[in-house]
Amino acid sequence: MGLRIRKSIKIAPGVRLNFGKKGISTSIGKRGAGITIGPTGTTAHVGIPGTGISYVKKVGTTKKSVDEKSQSTGENKKPKRNYSCLGSFWAISGIVIVMAIHSTCEWTALTLSILVICVLYISFAIITYLGNILKKNITTTPINSKDVSQTMESTTTPINPKEPFTRYKYPSLNLLKKYEVNTNYINEEEQRTNKNRIIEVLGNFGIQINTIHASVGPAITLYGMQLANGMLLSKVKEFEDDIALSLSAIGTRVVTPIPGKETFGIEIPNSYPDVVSIESVLNSSQFEDTRMELPLAIGKTIDGEVFMIDLSMAPHLLIAGSAVQNESLGLDAIIFSLLYKKHPNELKLVLIDLGKVELNVYSRIANKFMAAVPGDEAIVTNTKKAMLTLNSICQVVNDRNKLFEKAGACNIKEYNQMYINHRLRLVDGHEYLPYIVVIINEFSDLIMTYGKKAEDLIVGIHMVITTRRPSKSIVTDAVKDSIPERIAFRMVLKSDSQIILGHPDANRLAGRGDMFCIQNNELVRVQCAFVDTAEIECVNEYISEQVGPIEPWELPESPTEEDDGLSITTMDNN
């Protein structure tokens, strides 16, 4: 918009040629008003007759004028061709005026020219406008190669499940106590004495052997023997109780036969048993190199090998003992195994300590490693809140099963791998899921109070439950069917051992961490790893000082009591 001075030549009534700096243009109009079409675009103008001076309003641009503007301003991006509303208004007004003149007068060259120009202008404006819309819809935004490389890198780099706590440091083995190796826990003299005693006792029952050899363990030594020709193993089985009593040693057991071998054996406790420390177990290559998702390094076998259970495959573990033995039932070794292998983002513990003694020492790591219902204590100590917490776990399992179904995953391990590798969409509610391990100390209190309702909760999540009342009313057939992995410490009655293990030998254990484990339907004798109270305090203090979550992982609100009972939802097995 502005004033422009140019020279013009009349070539026909109402039609002029204009000579300006930008080139030659054509104007159509009368009495100083009209439309000019030239090299810089289309303009509407009002002129002062006889002076060559006119007031100009640009209503459209041409490609040439756009290019010139881009060159002058240094811009690379070309502006869109603009046909303004004012230009369209002038054109429509011209048509209306021409039609009004035509209604009272005959057609003249001027009116006909104005009509044609206006119609052409409007038609061209409409076509151009529609073309711009179509071009906008089919034209793609230019792709920046740098953005593409960054996008590809972000989708190909696996998600780190430890974020944002990547600076968390696992507990060091230096926090644990190292015990001196006891070289006198069994010597050659003791072995010879035991061998001679065994041969003598077997001979009293008419059993002859060809060979005898000793496999020395930290607390128990297994004496393996091969029967003489003509001797039957059934005869050894017939007198095995009498043989054990004749050797008069607490913890003596006759093994007929030794699994995987054509021999039988007699297990005799060492006079000076060695301490199986938790440091020696966690510092072993079996534990350090394991690929188990939830490794439980419980102790060592007679062969000196670290005995481990993968809780993710079990998926539950039942531990039973006797009330008179007052043993810890191996819970400290289990918890330490998980703390030394898992990051706070990978594991959450739900601790239910109905015995109110053993698990309270872990309260310092509640923010880092525990899950709890909002408003409740991280470590549950009464049966009512325990049932509400377990019912909350049921809801977690149901929610996870829905996520597994949506993702097409069979279990939590497969699901988390899909999440880490960007195969799940966050907008669908997917997230990294930590393992949840429920540890119930003294499960018998729940069974005695809630009966079958408590039994129905042993599904769908990883559980470790303990009891010092291994009666049939506590460890029911339903409980045993749900928990194939079982551990027994020393018991008083054969019947209790039969209930837990299906074998009557737990009453022959030596105590002090001596235990039987069922693995692959076989009975394995293990010396439980010892964890000192000072070690627990030291590890808890170290973990509490690390970077990590500032509050326990939140479980969903559990339902309230109804009719003096609890509304328990069902869970599907993961």
Side-chain angles (χ1 to χ4, degrees):
M1 182 176 64
L3 295 175
R4 182 180 302 171
I5 300 175
R6 59 173 178 255
K7 296 181 179 180
S8 61
I9 300 176
K10 180 178 180 181
I11 59 175
V15 180
R16 291 178 178 273
L17 284 179
N18 303 307
F19 301 91
K21 294 182 179 181
K22 300 292 184 179
I24 301 175
S25 63
T26 304
S27 61
I28 302 173
K30 196 172 184 181
R31 295 185 180 91
I35 298 174
T36 302
I37 302 174
T40 60
T42 305
T43 58
H45 62 90
V46 178
I48 301 175
T51 64
I53 302 175
S54 62
Y55 179 79
V56 181
K57 170 67 177 180
K58 183 172 290 187
V59 296
T61 58
T62 62
K63 184 176 184 301
K64 180 179 179 182
S65 64
V66 170
D67 292 340
E68 291 177 354
K69 182 179 180 180
S70 299
Q71 293 176 1
S72 62
T73 58
E75 297 179 356
N76 293 327
K77 183 177 179 181
K78 297 179 180 179
K80 294 182 180 179
R81 186 171 294 166
N82 178 29
Y83 291 88
S84 66
C85 295
L86 180 61
S88 300
F89 172 76
W90 279 101
I92 294 173
S93 299
I95 295 176
V96 172
I97 294 172
V98 169
M99 296 304 296
I101 295 174
H102 175 65
S103 63
T104 56
C105 306
E106 296 294 332
W107 284 105
T108 63
L110 176 62
T111 56
L112 185 60
S113 299
I114 293 174
L115 178 63
V116 171
I117 293 298
C118 291
V119 170
L120 289 176
Y121 176 83
I122 295 175
S123 300
F124 188 67
I126 293 174
I127 293 172
T128 305
Y129 177 75
L130 295 177
N132 288 338
I133 294 178
L134 181 62
K135 183 178 180 181
K136 180 179 180 180
N137 291 335
I138 65 175
T139 302
T140 58
T141 304
I143 300 176
N144 191 324
S145 59
K146 183 178 180 180
D147 294 340
V148 172
S149 62
Q150 291 177 348
T151 303
M152 292 180 63
E153 183 180 358
S154 63
T155 56
T156 56
T157 302
I159 297 174
N160 186 355
K162 299 178 182 180
E163 292 180 349
F165 309 119
T166 55
R167 297 178 62 186
Y168 173 85
K169 294 182 180 180
Y170 291 79
S172 170
L173 293 172
N174 295 329
L175 301 173
L176 306 178
K177 184 177 179 180
K178 295 182 180 181
Y179 291 82
E180 294 183 2
V181 178
N182 181 11
T183 57
N184 296 321
Y185 61 85
I186 185 158
N187 51 42
E188 295 295 331
E189 182 62 28
E190 183 178 347
Q191 290 186 45
R192 281 194 299 268
T193 301
N194 288 337
K195 287 179 181 180
N196 293 334
R197 180 62 177 157
I198 289 171
I199 294 173
E200 179 185 352
V201 170
L202 292 178
N204 293 337
F205 292 98
I207 301 172
Q208 304 298 321
I209 60 175
N210 286 335
T211 60
I212 181 171
H213 64 277
S215 297
V216 181
I220 304 294
T221 296
L222 172 63
Y223 296 89
M225 291 156 280
Q226 186 176 22
L227 289 170
N229 295 334
M231 300 303 299
L232 299 177
L233 188 61
S234 59
K235 192 171 184 179
V236 178
K237 291 183 178 180
E238 181 182 353
F239 295 107
E240 62 180 349
D241 290 341
D242 298 321
I243 293 171
L245 289 173
S246 299
L247 292 171
S248 63
I250 297 177
T252 299
R253 183 177 76 113
V254 179
V255 184
T256 53
I258 297 175
K261 299 180 181 179
E262 297 179 355
T263 59
F264 76 99
I266 297 178
E267 297 170 344
I268 299 179
N270 300 332
S271 298
Y272 303 97
D274 193 17
V275 175
V276 177
S277 66
I278 189 65
E279 188 275 337
S280 65
V281 171
L282 301 183
N283 198 22
S284 64
S285 59
Q286 294 100 313
F287 181 76
E288 291 180 346
D289 300 335
T290 184
R291 292 189 176 183
M292 295 181 180
E293 287 295 305
L294 294 174
L296 307 182
I298 298 176
K300 290 185 178 181
T301 64
I302 292 177
D303 297 330
E305 298 293 325
V306 174
F307 182 82
M308 297 176 61
I309 295 175
D310 188 357
L311 190 61
S312 67
M313 302 297 294
H316 315 301
L317 177 62
L318 170 63
I319 306 175
S322 173
V324 299
Q325 294 300 316
N326 194 27
E327 294 182 291
S328 66
L329 303 184
L331 289 181
D332 293 328
I334 289 173
I335 294 175
F336 266 51
S337 299
L338 297 174
L339 296 180
Y340 269 77
K341 269 297 182 183
K342 290 297 180 180
H343 186 276
N345 288 357
E346 299 173 329
L347 171 71
K348 296 301 173 184
L349 300 173
V350 178
L351 300 187
I352 301 176
D353 187 12
L354 301 180
K356 302 179 182 179
V357 176
E358 296 183 29
L359 301 181
N360 190 55
V361 292
Y362 294 99
S363 59
R364 294 190 63 180
I365 63 172
N367 291 341
K368 301 294 190 302
F369 276 102
M370 293 188 195
V373 176
D376 289 350
E377 295 292 333
I379 301 177
V380 182
T381 56
N382 69 74
T383 56
K384 183 185 296 185
K385 288 189 176 182
M387 289 296 287
L388 291 173
T389 300
L390 293 176
N391 198 47
S392 178
I393 293 292
C394 294
Q395 298 180 45
V396 173
V397 174
N398 288 333
D399 293 340
R400 290 189 171 192
N401 285 336
K402 293 177 182 178
L403 289 177
F404 294 167
E405 182 180 359
K406 187 185 298 185
C410 298
N411 51 52
I412 187 173
K413 180 180 179 181
E414 183 177 333
Y415 175 88
N416 282 338
Q417 284 298 321
M418 296 174 68
Y419 176 84
I420 290 173
N421 295 320
H422 302 276
R423 294 168 58 190
L424 301 177
R425 299 199 313 164
L426 301 182
V427 294
D428 293 334
H430 294 296
E431 59 181 347
Y432 185 83
L433 302 179
Y435 281 98
I436 298 178
V437 176
V438 180
I439 298 178
I440 307 176
N441 184 32
E442 205 47 71
F443 181 70
S444 58
D445 290 353
L446 289 178
I447 294 293
M448 293 172 65
T449 306
Y450 294 100
K452 192 175 184 303
K453 287 183 178 180
E455 293 179 9
D456 293 340
L457 296 174
I458 311 177
V459 286
I461 205 73
H462 304 294
M463 282 191 176
V464 178
I465 64 177
T466 71
T467 181
R468 288 182 174 83
R469 300 169 186 168
S471 62
K472 202 165 187 178
S473 60
I474 302 299
V475 186
T476 63
D477 292 337
V479 172
K480 290 194 290 185
D481 290 341
S482 301
I483 310 177
E485 297 281 349
R486 297 191 287 274
I487 294 176
F489 287 81
R490 186 182 179 183
M491 298 180 181
V492 177
L493 303 175
K494 282 187 177 181
S495 58
D496 293 343
S497 176
Q498 188 70 39
I499 290 172
I500 301 299
L501 301 175
H503 298 275
D505 292 336
N507 63 309
R508 293 178 178 163
L509 291 170
R512 295 178 298 181
D514 191 17
M515 64 185 184
F516 281 132
C517 303
I518 295 180
Q519 190 174 54
N520 300 326
N521 296 322
E522 292 185 358
L523 207 60
V524 182
R525 196 165 186 174
V526 179
Q527 181 66 30
C528 184
F530 174 70
V531 183
D532 193 6
T533 302
E535 292 176 308
I536 298 175
E537 295 175 352
C538 189
V539 171
N540 286 344
E541 181 179 1
Y542 177 86
I543 292 177
S544 65
E545 294 175 351
Q546 294 300 308
V547 62
I550 59 175
E551 60 184 358
W553 196 72
E554 186 174 308
L555 295 174
E557 291 285 349
S558 53
T560 58
E561 284 189 88
E562 296 178 1
D563 301 328
D564 297 329
L566 291 168
S567 176
I568 305 298
T569 58
T570 60
M571 292 189 292
D572 296 327
N573 197 347
N574 284 354

